[in-house]
């Protein structure tokens, strides 16, 4: 199952497909007893997708059989033992993908000529993704970080590894044939390669970067690299060969401090915007501003969800889940629209926005 949504991947997902491109969304759960319903619910929503394919006269028998095979393969790849809060399956002729999201999604099936990506985009924004690069003399490991975890990310040549007959720097220093592991030219070249590879990745998918390693390793990387110079250094060795949990526990205090700092900064910006009448609040007002491209900063409480109906294209009114024309992921629509128009999107803890009813924006004009 996929977790990390890069700009390149999003562009690929958004390109037109031969009809039908099927998007299947379903909520999932991390813990018992709620997660006991997930297997049945997942099978049912995939069955509904097949039913819609069967009933669609625009889908030929051959193409329907192809997409149904893709759905079955996707279903076999789902690992509900590691489920998060939402699951998205994309299937089209000749391809399929499975995405696990740390944000709830409404249950739905959509047949179109493109995949439905707004829930992925919103989930990625709410994750506040970051990179962790763990450095040692013989391995550099890349970790993909999110709200409550890190996972190893094998892309762009990572992990980088090198073998040497003896990394025992202390013994070699005693006999005088190695000045220092991290002053050794081979090690410096290895770290330079790691910096270059990280630079390519940051250009494709820019995120905050943490670098872990012994103090000597961090200093050596600074001396040979350029792409990693602005990263946050975390003096902690052993994580290049460590576990995801060990890496997460090391960077977690820094992430929590950054979250508190960002939340306070958002609150200040919203308060200033109120004073100069550049403030929008509530889902209807923010939705209208987002459609006009007026939102510069969007703030959303982490668990804010609301179901609405579009009344004549001018206003959103409350609706009940399952109602005709109900829009159960309107918050995700707003997030995607704001990101498309260059807004800064911040997810903040529940209750942060007070009387703004879960969502607020600072306007450009």
């Amino acid at each position: 199952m996929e977790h990390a949504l890069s700009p390149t991947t999003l562009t690929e997902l958004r390109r037109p497909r031969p009809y039908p491109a099927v998007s299947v969304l379903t909520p999932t759960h991390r813990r018992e007893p709620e997660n006991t319903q997930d297997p049945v619910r997942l099978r049912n929503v995939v069955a509904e997708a097949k039913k819609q394919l069967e009933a669609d006269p625009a889908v030929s028998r051959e193409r329907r059989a192809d997409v149904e095979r893709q759905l079955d393969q996707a279903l076999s790849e789902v690992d509900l033992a590691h489920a998060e809060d939402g699951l998205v399956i994309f299937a089209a002729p000749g391809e399929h993908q499975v995405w696990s999201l740390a944000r709830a999604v409404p249950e739905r099936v959509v047949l179109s000529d493109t995949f439905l990506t707004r829930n992925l985009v919103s989930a990625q924004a709410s994750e506040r993704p970051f990179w962790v690069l763990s450095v040692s003399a013989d391995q550099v490991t890349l970790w993909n970080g999110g709200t409550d975890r890190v996972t190893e990310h094998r892309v762009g040549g990572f992990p980088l590894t090198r073998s040497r007959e003896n990394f025992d720097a202390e013994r070699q220093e005693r006999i005088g044939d190695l000045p220092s592991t991290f002053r050794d030219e081979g090690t410096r070249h290895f770290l330079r390669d790691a910096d270059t590879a990280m630079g390519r990745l940051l250009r494709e998918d820019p995120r905050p970067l943490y670098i872990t390693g012994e103090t000597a390793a961090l200093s050596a990387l600074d001396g040979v690299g350029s792409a990693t110079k602005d990263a946050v250094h975390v003096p902690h060795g052993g994580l290049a060969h460590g576990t995801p949990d060990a890496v997460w526990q090391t960077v977690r205090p820094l992430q929590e401090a950054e979250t508190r700092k960002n939340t306070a900064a958002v609150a200040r910006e919203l308060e200033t915007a109120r004073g100069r009448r550049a403030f929008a609040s509530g889902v209807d007002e923010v939705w209208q501003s987002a459609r006009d491209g007026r939102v510069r900063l969007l703030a959303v409480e982490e668990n804010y969800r609301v179901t609405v109906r579009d009344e004549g294209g001018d206003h959103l009114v409350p609706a009940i889940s399952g109602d005709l024309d109900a829009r159960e992921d309107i918050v995700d629509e707003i997030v995607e629209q704001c990101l498309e128009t260059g807004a800064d999107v911040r997810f903040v803890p529940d209750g942060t926005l007070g009387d703004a009813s879960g969502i607020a924006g600072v306007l450009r004009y």
Side-chain angles (χ1 to χ4, degrees):
M1 296 193 294
E2 303 285 346
H3 294 273
L5 181 67
S6 70
T8 302
T9 303
L10 180 60
T11 298
E12 167 60 20
L13 287 174
R14 282 177 166 168
R15 69 171 175 80
R17 260 76 179 174
Y19 187 85
V22 182
S23 303
V24 177
L25 288 73
T26 185
T28 53
H29 303 83
R30 299 173 187 244
R31 300 175 184 85
E32 295 180 342
E34 293 86 358
N35 63 5
T36 57
Q37 65 182 290
D38 290 348
V40 174
R41 193 167 188 171
L42 177 58
R43 286 195 299 271
N44 287 346
V45 73
V46 170
E48 173 61 26
K50 292 181 178 180
K51 182 178 177 182
Q52 290 191 27
L53 286 169
E54 180 85 28
D56 192 334
V59 182
S60 68
R61 178 183 299 179
E62 294 79 9
R63 186 155 287 183
R64 184 179 72 244
D66 184 351
V67 177
E68 287 181 346
R69 281 195 300 272
Q70 299 297 330
L71 286 169
D72 288 337
Q73 290 178 33
L75 193 59
S76 71
E77 294 170 12
V78 173
D79 182 7
L80 289 176
H82 296 93
E84 297 175 276
D85 303 304
L87 189 74
V88 177
I89 293 175
F90 294 137
E95 63 173 317
H96 67 273
Q97 292 190 38
V98 180
W99 288 84
S100 177
L101 308 183
R103 182 167 169 81
V105 299
E107 184 171 291
R108 66 190 308 182
V109 174
V110 177
L111 274 62
S112 183
D113 57 358
T114 57
F115 293 136
L116 183 69
T117 59
R118 61 173 170 257
N119 304 97
L120 270 71
V121 171
S122 182
Q124 182 78 350
S126 69
E127 279 266 273
R128 298 183 291 275
F130 58 91
W131 297 118
V132 181
L133 196 67
S134 295
V135 178
S136 71
D138 65 333
Q139 181 160 312
V140 179
T141 304
L142 177 68
W143 309 91
N144 171 45
T147 304
D148 59 0
R149 70 182 187 281
V150 299
T151 56
E152 187 177 352
H153 201 58
R154 293 177 173 265
V155 69
F158 290 104
L160 274 66
T161 60
R162 65 193 283 251
S163 60
R164 281 176 50 183
E165 290 184 4
N166 196 337
F167 270 100
D168 186 352
E170 290 186 5
R171 187 193 69 80
Q172 293 188 350
E173 284 175 349
R174 285 196 302 271
I175 63 175
D177 60 359
L178 182 70
S180 165
T181 299
F182 291 102
R183 291 204 304 270
D184 171 68
E185 187 55 37
T187 303
R188 289 167 59 83
H189 182 77
F190 176 64
L191 295 180
R192 192 177 296 114
D193 288 345
D195 179 84
T196 301
M198 193 68 228
R200 285 194 297 266
L201 181 60
L202 288 170
R203 286 191 293 273
E204 295 173 3
D205 191 359
R207 305 182 188 181
L209 172 64
Y210 299 91
I211 303 180
T212 73
E214 299 173 18
T215 301
L218 299 177
S219 177
L221 184 62
D222 259 359
V224 300
S226 58
T228 56
K229 279 189 179 296
D230 295 329
V232 177
H233 287 192
V234 186
H236 191 299
L239 297 180
H241 297 276
T243 64
D245 185 62
V247 177
W248 169 240
Q249 294 305 326
T250 299
V251 300
R252 180 178 182 177
L254 298 170
Q255 274 296 101
E256 291 176 345
E258 188 66 19
T259 296
R260 290 191 295 270
K261 177 182 172 183
N262 287 338
T263 300
V266 168
R268 287 194 299 271
E269 284 214 51
L270 291 173
E271 192 59 34
T272 301
R274 282 181 187 268
R276 54 187 176 84
R277 297 183 180 179
F279 178 78
S281 66
V283 67
D284 182 47
E285 188 176 343
V286 173
W287 173 68
Q288 293 182 59
S289 298
R291 288 195 307 167
D292 295 337
R294 296 179 61 203
V295 178
R296 179 177 65 79
L297 169 67
L298 178 71
V300 185
E301 292 185 354
E302 288 169 346
N303 294 299
Y304 177 62
R305 314 291 298 186
V306 63
T307 302
V308 298
R309 188 176 67 255
D310 183 353
E311 195 170 72
D314 296 323
H315 292 283
L316 300 177
V317 297
I320 298 173
S321 178
D323 278 358
L324 185 64
D325 298 328
R327 298 166 74 168
E328 298 184 45
D329 52 357
I330 187 65
V331 174
D332 289 358
E333 286 188 46
I334 292 170
V335 168
E336 184 179 49
Q337 179 63 39
C338 287
L339 288 170
E340 285 288 307
T341 54
D344 183 11
V345 175
R346 306 285 188 91
F347 282 80
V348 297
D350 294 348
T352 299
L353 302 181
D355 61 2
S357 301
I359 189 167
V362 176
L363 305 181
R364 293 189 170 102
Y365 57 89

